[in-house]
Amino acid sequence: MSRVLVTGGAGFLGSHLCDRLLRDGHDVLCVDNFFTGSKRNVAHLLDEPYFELMRHDVTFPLYVEVDRIFNLACPASPVHYQHDPVQTTKTSVHGAINMLGLAKRVKARILQASTSEVYGDPEVHPQREDYWGRVNPIGFRSCYDEGKRCAETLFFDYHRQHGMDIKVVRIFNTYGPRMHPDDGRVVSNFIVQALKGEDITIYGDGSQTRSFCYVDDLIEAMVRMMESGPGFTGPVNIGNPVEHTMLQLAEKVLALVGGRSKLVFRPLPADDPRQRQPDITLAKDRLGWQPTVGIDDGLRETIAYFRRLLEA
Ligand SMILES: NC(=O)c1ccc[n+]([C@@H]2O[C@H](COP(=O)([O-])OP(=O)(O)OC[C@H]3O[C@@H](n4cnc5c(N)ncnc54)[C@H](O)[C@@H]3O)[C@@H](O)[C@H]2O)c1
């Protein structure tokens, strides 16, 4: 049994990670300031003897004894991370410094939840880990993109300078139960609009593509990465390479939910990438991992979750 710290553990991905780590027999400390996460996401774990929930903001130092740190704390959706952009950069950068400092003191292995946003609006397609990205440093998304890029820099500098045992995963769009209903992300948006019988909003002409990874696949990859050999730092892409246009996704959601929603088109927001698709060759080679959940199965689970949430 390892003592595992999950920052951002009450969020969408973090709560699924806590579930998994407890199932694997670990002692889990979930740290969250509940900015976008909620106690509801981990309420079912509160009576577990090996689960502990701590309210804490990672921009402040933390002193705990742990063997492993999964650093997920950071709002992930544009509406949330643009709400207080200075705090978003602080969470990524000061949060990384604080968690790396903790890992250094207690000699813990530490994994950073980075993002495909480090590639910005890419000129190469699909994106491989050795592509450096095309990121606007002064735009509305920069607090997130540049914050995450700086966090990666810090991870690799701590690794080179202090010999620390680091792991970096670059997460591509992930969806599943416990996503926020109002976070403006495309999967939750479409599902909630369809369930409420509202029009489904498509930005641009709907021809821009995204690839979507189901949360269970993502968590499997993160756990494999954490337990991979000490020589392998990443960064490693984790995502589902199967691409869908926004129009295809909207039609799929509509077909699965049923109802009478119409598709409506709105202007594309600034800096919105046209296309994003992971090259997961490295994850396949080094982690023996690839996604197993198809979009229809994943959407069904997610729709069932939102249906329960909206009916509650
Ligand atoms: N979901 C995705 O598709 C996706 C894609 C790429 C990267 N990621 C990364 O994965 C991580 C988790 O994303 P998510 O989708 O679960 O988002 P989320 O917003 O549901 O979870 C983030 C969690 O971090 C917490 N948090 C935010 N600021 C904090 C702070 N200063 N101190 C402590 N806790 C704080 C929030 O309250 C929340 O519980 C994030 O780092 C995100 O950047 C997610």
Side-chain angles (χ1 to χ4, degrees), residues 12-13 32-33 35-37 57-58 72 144 148 174 180 185:
F12 162 46
L13 299 181
D32 207 296
N33 71 349
F35 173 51
T36 50
D57 184 325
V58 294
L72 274 65
Y144 184 73
K148 288 286 189 178
T174 303
H180 308 256
R185 285 196 269 191

Side-chain angles (χ1 to χ4, degrees), residues 100 148-160:
L100 284 160
K148 288 286 189 178
R149 286 170 68 93
C150 184
E152 285 200 13
T153 307
L154 284 162
F155 268 69
F156 278 86
D157 283 337
Y158 268 77
H159 172 65
R160 284 184 287 257

Side-chain angles (χ1 to χ4, degrees), residues 7-15 31-38 41 54-60 71-77 80-81 87-88 90-92 95 112-117 144 148 169-175 178-180 183 185 213 218 222 238:
T7 76
F12 162 46
L13 299 181
S15 60
V31 162
D32 207 296
N33 71 349
F34 304 117
F35 173 51
T36 50
S38 91
N41 286 340
M54 182 193 284
R55 182 191 291 267
H56 174 79
D57 184 325
V58 294
T59 61
F60 297 97
N71 188 35
L72 274 65
C74 186
S77 69
H80 291 136
Y81 70 64
Q87 173 68 11
T88 299
K90 280 187 187 168
T91 295
S92 276
Q112 168 68 358
S114 190
T115 169
S116 55
E117 302 290 340
Y144 184 73
K148 288 286 189 178
V169 294
R170 290 185 180 152
I171 302 170
F172 284 66
N173 276 344
T174 303
Y175 70 102
R178 302 190 199 141
M179 290 182 89
H180 308 256
D183 68 359
R185 285 196 269 191
C213 186
L218 191 278
M222 280 180 99
I238 304 181

Side-chain angles (χ1 to χ4, degrees), residues 7 42 53 66 69 79 120 150 168 184 195 198 210 239 254 284 303:
T7 76
V42 289
L53 177 60
V66 288
I69 302 172
V79 279
C150 184
V168 176
L195 284 171
E198 296 169 358
R210 291 289 185 278
L254 208 49
K284 281 184 183 162
I303 290 166

Side-chain angles (χ1 to χ4, degrees), residues 93-130:
V93 177
H94 293 188
I97 292 171
N98 287 328
M99 290 309 120
L100 284 160
L102 170 64
K104 182 165 170 266
R105 272 195 304 280
V106 300
K107 297 188 173 40
R109 177 177 282 190
I110 180 165
L111 179 146
Q112 168 68 358
S114 190
T115 169
S116 55
E117 302 290 340
V118 300
Y119 299 123
D121 193 359
E123 306 104 323
V124 300
H125 191 74
Q127 291 83 49
R128 276 172 29 147
E129 291 82 350
D130 54 8

